[in-house]
Amino acid sequence: MRERDTTASASAAWAPATGPSSAPPAAAVPGWGGLARYIIAATLARASDGGAVVAIVLLVTTSGGPGWLAGLLGACITAPHLLGPFVARVLDTARDGRKVIAAACMVHGGTLAAAVLLYPVTIPVVTAVLLIASGLVGPLLTGGISSRLPAIAGEGRERQRRAQGWDVATYGIGGTVGPTVVAAVSAWASPLVAALVLAGGTFLAAAVVRFLPYAPPPAAASDVPKPGRTLVGILTSGPLRRTLYLTVTVAFGVAALPVTAVAGAGALGVGPAAAGVLTAAYGLGNLPGSAGVMLRPARADADGLMTRLAALVAGTLVLVALAPSFPIAVAAYAAAGIANACFFAATLAARSEYAPPAARGQIFVWVGALKITAGSAGTAFAGTIIGTALPLPLTLAVALTLAAALLSLTERR
């Protein structure tokens, strides 16, 4: 009887929303101070998460290791992100989620540092195990931290969405700064030192996380659904289901851009090295996109907004595919970055507004983990088929993204 009561309680706690949910519990001291600390912590953590795989690959290759080992060890820190949702439940059950995220930062930094320090003196399997441990907590540094933002931002849709614009910026800055720091420190010292710098950044992030405003737990621990039930809840909730498949489809599609940049440089009349300019334009486009969300937050419901912005992303991919010259291609890549930043902000809003409070942390991590997996799959797929025809990866990306947008529009109607 007691087990049945617990199940019923969990079922009641999971009530997929059909519209924006009530505002999350406000932090003890919402405002700019808490948001500023959040931005610092999120940027530090995401820079480490984004730069770690680059540091590992450089460490192996510069020490004379084979390419297959570099790729395998790099995968050891990225592939475990898919298991993040099975770690994330503690975010919703903990009395103080700050302690969970701070501990995740320290585990990530500690295992990364141990992996690179032991690599020269031990067998690769030891390094692989440490990197897998680091990768397991990686989703808590991305989607896990984002799940704290609704309570920090305070009440009101405009404040929430402006804060989500800042969150998108931390992803863009972290994803750019991390690899840049690795490249610079590796050239100045070594990839080992670069990896240790990233590890130090996560320890600093852990300290800053502890100073974020406190937010009470969203529900009693017994009311928090388990990971499998959370995924079922996402799939049975219209807005959350659309958030998931639109996020995954767009991530799969835009992952073709770096591959296309390298393969298509010759057709634009430039050398392969110029592909870095194109990918940089895409990355830098994230900043004006997120700034636009901060300065002028959208007022529309996140559900419909995601559909429109997914279609916009598809439109920018068409511009990339049809760009007749290098300058126009640079502008098209930047436009794709801007559109994707706005779309990403809309998905963050949807996760926040439609998720039941008792499962909000898990939902952030579920969507984030599947997004990363889709991006990796999209890059691999584009690399596999681009030899058949240069426009093929982007053509398929546009078709899939428009199909997902049309499906979401049809579902709502």
Side-chain angles (χ1 to χ4, degrees):
M1 177 64 73
R2 179 171 298 178
E3 182 177 352
R4 181 177 298 174
D5 291 342
T6 302
T7 304
S9 177
S11 300
W14 178 270
T18 56
S21 65
S22 58
V29 189
W32 173 246
L35 181 58
R37 293 192 290 276
Y38 174 89
I39 293 168
I40 294 170
T43 301
L44 287 169
R46 288 160 184 168
S48 176
D49 187 63
V53 65
V54 181
I56 294 300
V57 171
L58 283 176
L59 176 65
V60 176
T61 54
T62 56
S63 62
W68 65 264
L69 180 59
L72 179 61
L73 292 181
C76 284
I77 201 170
T78 55
H81 278 67
L82 187 58
L83 301 176
F86 299 95
V87 181
R89 186 172 182 267
V90 68
L91 280 173
D92 294 319
T93 59
R95 290 188 175 184
D96 190 346
R98 299 174 301 178
K99 294 181 179 179
V100 175
I101 296 173
C105 289
M106 296 182 70
V107 169
H108 186 279
T111 52
L112 176 62
V116 298
L117 289 171
L118 290 175
Y119 173 74
V121 298
T122 188
I123 57 176
V125 68
V126 174
T127 300
V129 170
L130 290 168
L131 292 177
I132 289 171
S134 185
L136 280 173
V137 298
L140 299 182
L141 277 62
T142 52
I145 294 183
S146 290
S147 70
R148 309 297 300 172
L149 185 59
I152 294 172
E155 297 182 359
R157 174 179 285 181
E158 184 173 340
R159 294 185 65 176
Q160 291 282 324
R161 294 193 174 177
R162 182 171 285 116
Q164 286 151 5
W166 281 106
D167 203 25
V168 173
T170 67
Y171 277 98
I173 295 171
T176 303
V177 169
T180 301
V181 167
V182 170
V185 177
S186 296
W188 169 69
S190 69
L192 173 60
V193 175
L196 294 177
V197 169
L198 294 181
T202 59
F203 289 125
L204 183 56
V208 179
V209 165
R210 295 293 287 116
F211 288 96
L212 294 178
Y214 171 76
S222 59
D223 292 338
V224 176
K226 293 183 178 180
R229 180 168 179 78
T230 300
L231 180 59
V232 171
I234 293 173
L235 297 177
T236 55
S237 164
L240 291 176
R241 180 176 61 253
R242 290 187 283 274
T243 300
L244 179 60
Y245 68 68
L246 284 170
T247 299
V248 166
T249 304
V250 170
F252 184 89
V254 299
L257 288 174
V259 177
T260 302
V262 174
L268 296 172
V270 295
V277 177
L278 296 175
T279 55
Y282 171 75
L284 291 173
N286 175 86
L287 297 180
S290 56
V293 177
M294 297 175 211
L295 297 174
R296 194 178 180 84
R299 297 182 179 181
D301 286 343
D303 194 4
L305 186 62
M306 285 188 299
T307 299
R308 294 192 292 274
L309 290 174
L312 179 61
V313 171
T316 61
L317 295 182
V318 172
L319 294 178
V320 170
L322 298 179
S325 64
F326 183 70
I328 295 177
V330 171
Y333 270 80
I338 293 171
N340 190 51
C342 295
F343 171 78
F344 183 27
T347 67
L348 290 174
R351 293 184 231 179
S352 175
E353 295 171 10
Y354 298 110
R360 181 172 283 119
Q362 291 187 75
I363 288 172
F364 266 89
V365 175
W366 260 118
V367 177
L370 293 175
K371 174 186 176 182
I372 292 173
T373 303
S376 299
T379 301
F381 181 72
T384 301
I385 68 170
I386 200 164
T388 304
L390 180 60
L392 186 57
L394 286 181
T395 301
L396 291 177
V398 170
L400 288 173
T401 304
L402 288 178
L406 181 60
L407 175 61
S408 67
L409 181 64
T410 304
E411 273 196 19
R412 281 199 309 278
R413 292 184 175 180

